[in-house]
């Protein structure tokens, strides 16, 4: 349901406002929920032996907040978190907010150059970090950037490369390393003065205060630090949970990363706003561990990007797991293939699964389906506009396009970020004077307000004057019985300007016949949409959140074609 506007034939919608926006800070939200459901399970991390209720979580968050303040950190300081999914990540998410600190999410895949950039742009005074994960040695990476750690007292780092950083807090039960605090020691603070400081501080915090910096995984240029407030993410988490029909009996399995909005907002905050239980199946995504966790913990909801659901559905032991407790969840993060959606509903029992669309800069969700939407609408759209959000689709001249026509999606409302941290120029490029966030996504709105994302402005390719949206061709190819996953993009061509290229991940045992794929296309879609180039691959280049990096495919193919021509 959306509010009426002056011209219902225009691609302009305003979300319903019958439910008021919440006026909580992140820390205040947890305290309110803990008072209402103190004994309800709040956080379960089987790999770490963590099983705590809301009262216990709330108390642990207060102690950690006090511990951070006892180090000398002050409201408004930035504190980085460089780790995959762990119980401590959740504690820090709420404790940093309760202490008035701004949490800086650092991609666990970052290496030294990217880490240096993120810490210095945000001016982090503290960094909470894991020791390692698989082949990533975080301690060694930081030591190369700040060799002064070896001779520094904890809390007294003075690094030439990282001038703002003073505190390094190490996760894990092992002894602390030189120059670092142990997380557990900070988290167990019982200093009466520091605990009292946390209590008095709450009256000075405001929902509109910045509370989180998330770096966008842009395809060009340096990452941008989208700055979000309590008000942004608390309300977005609340309305996400409302769309899923979450309640205190729900147990949400969260294999998506916390460092991204998908994990910390669609996951953690959607749960906490409704008194549900956060269930963490592991540090990084593993299809088998996720399936096992859903069964053992009797999860009722499951989040994932399409590639995660594909990996679970195609796992050789999939049929051995009882997933009958599942009801809902979210598939988002990248375009959701129709066939995958159908299998999630039929084989994973997620009849009430929802599709969501958004971006980091909008906290993130702007559109979402509901369990009441017919399945057809949950496989051909991203739903209707969220409450208290306004969206319009515009052409190149900034004019709102009629319903059914393609335009750039722009959004404004409570969910729009405060701006990019210390980057007014790029903030002005994305966020105009009227408060519209220019997403760069191409979309259509139908007469009922359902939105379809048809591509990106930069992903759209033009072949011989024909505008081609890769998403349309991808959805078509997902219907081929031999194709497990596919990505379509444009590559340079001297004659047509651009040509269509498809990278295909075939099903196990399927033939790899490029000409057969082209013949299949020629019989069913317009000639100019038929991929001239078909490549079979085992995997796609991706960000850690599961977003496919088409620009890397495009660069690789352009280089191959150039070499072939020479």
């Amino acid at each position: 349901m959306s509010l009426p506007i002056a011209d219902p034939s225009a691609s302009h919608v305003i979300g319903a406002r019958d439910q008021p926006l919440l006026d909580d800070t992140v820390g205040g939200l947890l305290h309110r929920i803990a008072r209402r459901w103190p004994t309800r399970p709040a956080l379960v991390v089987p790999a770490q032996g963590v099983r705590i209720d809301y009262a216990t979580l709330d108390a642990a968050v207060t102690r950690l907040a006090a511990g951070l303040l006892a180090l000398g950190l002050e409201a408004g300081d930035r504190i980085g978190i460089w780790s995959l999914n762990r119980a401590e990540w959740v504690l820090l998410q709420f404790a940093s907010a309760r202490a008035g600190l701004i949490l800086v999410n650092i991609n666990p895949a970052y290496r030294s150059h990217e880490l240096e950039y993120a810490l210095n742009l945000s001016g982090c005074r503290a960094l909470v970090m894991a020791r390692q994960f698989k082949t990533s040695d975080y301690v060694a990476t930081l030591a190369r950037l700040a060799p002064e750690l070896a001779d520094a007292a904890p809390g007294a780092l003075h690094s030439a490369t990282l001038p703002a950083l003073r505190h390094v807090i190490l996760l894990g039960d092992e002894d602390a390393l030189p120059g670092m605090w142990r997380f557990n020691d900070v988290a167990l603070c019982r200093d009466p003065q520091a605990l009292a400081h946390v209590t008095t501080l709450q009256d000075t915090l405001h929902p509109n205060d910045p509370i989180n910096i998330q770096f966008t995984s842009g395809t060009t240029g340096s990452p941008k630090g989208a700055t979000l407030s309590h008000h942004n993410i608390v309300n977005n988490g609340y309305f996400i949970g409302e769309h899923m029909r979450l309640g205190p009996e729900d147990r949400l399995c969260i294999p998506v990363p916390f460092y991204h909005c998908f994990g910390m907002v669609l996951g953690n905050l959607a749960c906490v706003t409704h008194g549900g239980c956060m269930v963490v199946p592991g540090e990084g995504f593993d299809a088998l561990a996720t399936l096992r966790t859903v069964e053992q913990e009797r999860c009722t909801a499951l989040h994932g990007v399409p590639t995660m659901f594909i990996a679970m559905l195609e796992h050789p032991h999939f049929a051995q797991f009882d997933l009958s407790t599942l009801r809902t969840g979210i598939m988002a993060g990248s375009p959701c293939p129709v066939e995958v959606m159908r299998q999630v509903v039929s084989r994973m029992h997620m009849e009430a699964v929802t599709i969501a669309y958004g971006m980091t800069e909008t906290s993130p969700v702007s559109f979402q389906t509901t369990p009441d939407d017919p399945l057809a609408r949950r496989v051909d759209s991203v739903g209707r506009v969220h409450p208290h959000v306004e969206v319009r689709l515009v052409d190149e001249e900034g004019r709102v396009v009629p319903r059914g026509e393609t335009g750039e999606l722009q959004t404004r409302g409570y969910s729009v970020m405060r701006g990019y941290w210390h980057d007014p120029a790029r903030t002005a490029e994305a966020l105009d004077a009227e408060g519209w966030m220019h997403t760069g996504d191409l979309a259509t709105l139908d007469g009922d307000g359902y939105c379809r994302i048809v591509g990106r402005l930069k992903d759209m390719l033009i072949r011989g004057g024909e505008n081609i949206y890769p998403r349309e061709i991808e959805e078509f190819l997902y219907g081929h019985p031999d194709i497990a996953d596919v990505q379509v993009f444009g590559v340079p061509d001297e004659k047509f300007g651009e040509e269509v290229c498809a990278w295909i991940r075939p099903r196990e045992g399927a033939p790899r016949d490029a000409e057969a794929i082209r013949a299949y296309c020629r019989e069913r879609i317009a000639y100019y949409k038929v991929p001239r180039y078909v490549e079979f691959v085992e995997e796609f280049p991706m960000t850690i959140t599961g977003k496919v990096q088409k620009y890397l495919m495009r660069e690789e193919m352009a280089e191959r074609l150039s070499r072939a021509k020479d």
Side-chain angles (χ1 to χ4, degrees), residues 98-153:
R98 189 164 285 175
L101 306 174
I102 299 175
L103 185 67
V104 180
N105 299 11
I106 299 174
N107 188 328
Y110 276 4
R111 295 298 182 257
S112 57
H113 175 74
E114 299 150 316
L115 177 65
E116 178 184 353
Y117 175 84
L119 291 174
N120 286 340
L121 177 67
S122 59
C124 278
R125 285 196 65 205
L127 173 65
V128 177
M129 59 180 284
R131 289 175 181 259
Q132 63 184 45
F133 181 74
K134 295 185 177 179
T135 60
S136 296
D137 188 333
Y138 299 124
V139 170
T141 299
L142 183 63
R144 285 193 293 271
L145 281 177
E148 299 92 342
L149 263 175
D151 299 315

Side-chain angles (χ1 to χ4, degrees), residues 121 139 152 175 248 310 384 417 442 522:
L121 177 67
V139 170
D175 292 338
I310 290 170
R384 289 182 283 193
M417 68 174 181
L442 296 168
R522 281 194 291 266

Side-chain angles (χ1 to χ4, degrees), residues 256-536:
V256 291
F258 290 153
Y259 99 90
H260 186 265
C261 269
F262 204 164
M264 68 172 290
V265 180
L266 285 79
N268 295 345
L269 285 173
C271 267
V272 172
T273 51
H274 293 79
C277 180
M278 300 167 278
V279 181
V280 185
E283 289 188 78
F285 173 70
D286 178 270
L288 184 61
T290 303
L291 291 167
R292 183 181 296 119
T293 300
V294 168
E295 179 183 65
Q296 293 178 350
E297 300 298 332
R298 310 296 288 168
C299 292
T300 60
L302 171 64
H303 284 354
V305 298
T307 51
M308 291 179 177
F309 283 103
I310 290 170
M312 288 184 279
L313 288 163
E314 294 190 348
H315 195 279
H317 300 308
F318 174 84
Q320 299 176 14
F321 293 95
D322 178 5
L323 309 179
S324 60
T325 56
L326 285 175
R327 181 190 86 256
T328 186
I330 295 176
M331 193 192 305
S334 61
C336 306
V338 171
E339 183 55 34
V340 175
M341 177 70 163
R342 291 191 176 116
Q343 290 193 45
V344 166
V345 170
S346 62
R347 298 176 62 200
M348 300 184 75
H349 309 283
M350 294 174 62
E351 292 85 0
V353 65
T354 74
I355 298 295
Y357 159 81
M359 62 190 304
T360 303
E361 291 89 336
T362 57
S363 304
V365 172
S366 299
F367 284 87
Q368 190 175 356
T369 62
T370 74
D372 297 332
D373 288 323
L375 183 60
R377 304 324 306 263
R378 285 186 277 150
V379 297
D380 72 357
S381 81
V382 293
R384 289 182 283 193
V385 68
H386 248 222
H388 298 273
V389 172
E390 183 177 6
V391 168
R392 67 182 184 183
L393 308 182
V394 302
D395 61 20
E396 292 179 356
E397 283 73 44
R399 296 171 299 200
V400 176
V401 302
R403 294 284 178 113
E405 292 190 11
T406 298
E408 183 196 5
L409 192 153
Q410 299 179 354
T411 183
R412 68 179 177 184
Y414 81 87
S415 62
V416 174
M417 68 174 181
R418 295 170 59 97
Y420 296 120
W421 186 264
H422 286 187
D423 198 340
R426 289 205 281 184
T427 297
E429 290 174 3
L431 192 58
D432 67 28
E434 295 181 334
W436 290 104
M437 179 72 206
H438 296 231
T439 68
D441 287 322
L442 296 168
T444 62
L445 280 172
D446 68 15
D448 295 320
Y450 287 93
C451 178
R452 292 187 69 242
I453 306 299
V454 299
R456 291 279 297 169
L457 281 173
K458 59 189 173 188
D459 284 347
M460 185 186 76
L461 62 107
I462 303 176
R463 180 193 183 276
E466 295 282 357
N467 291 352
I468 300 174
Y469 300 112
R471 172 73 189 278
E472 178 185 357
I473 304 173
E474 290 165 357
E475 287 288 1
F476 165 74
L477 286 172
Y478 276 120
H480 193 291
D482 293 337
I483 294 177
D485 206 353
V486 59
Q487 297 295 324
V488 173
F489 52 93
V491 293
D493 182 77
E494 291 182 356
K495 180 178 180 181
F496 294 104
E498 288 183 291
E499 270 286 6
V500 180
C501 178
W503 277 23
I504 292 171
R505 188 168 68 80
R507 296 193 184 280
E508 188 173 351
R512 300 183 174 218
D513 188 335
E515 184 50 37
I517 295 294
R518 283 190 285 266
Y520 175 84
C521 293
R522 281 194 291 266
E523 295 172 1
R524 295 168 175 84
I525 60 176
Y527 72 94
Y528 60 85
K529 299 178 184 176
V530 176
R532 178 176 177 183
Y533 304 104
V534 175
E535 295 284 328
F536 295 95

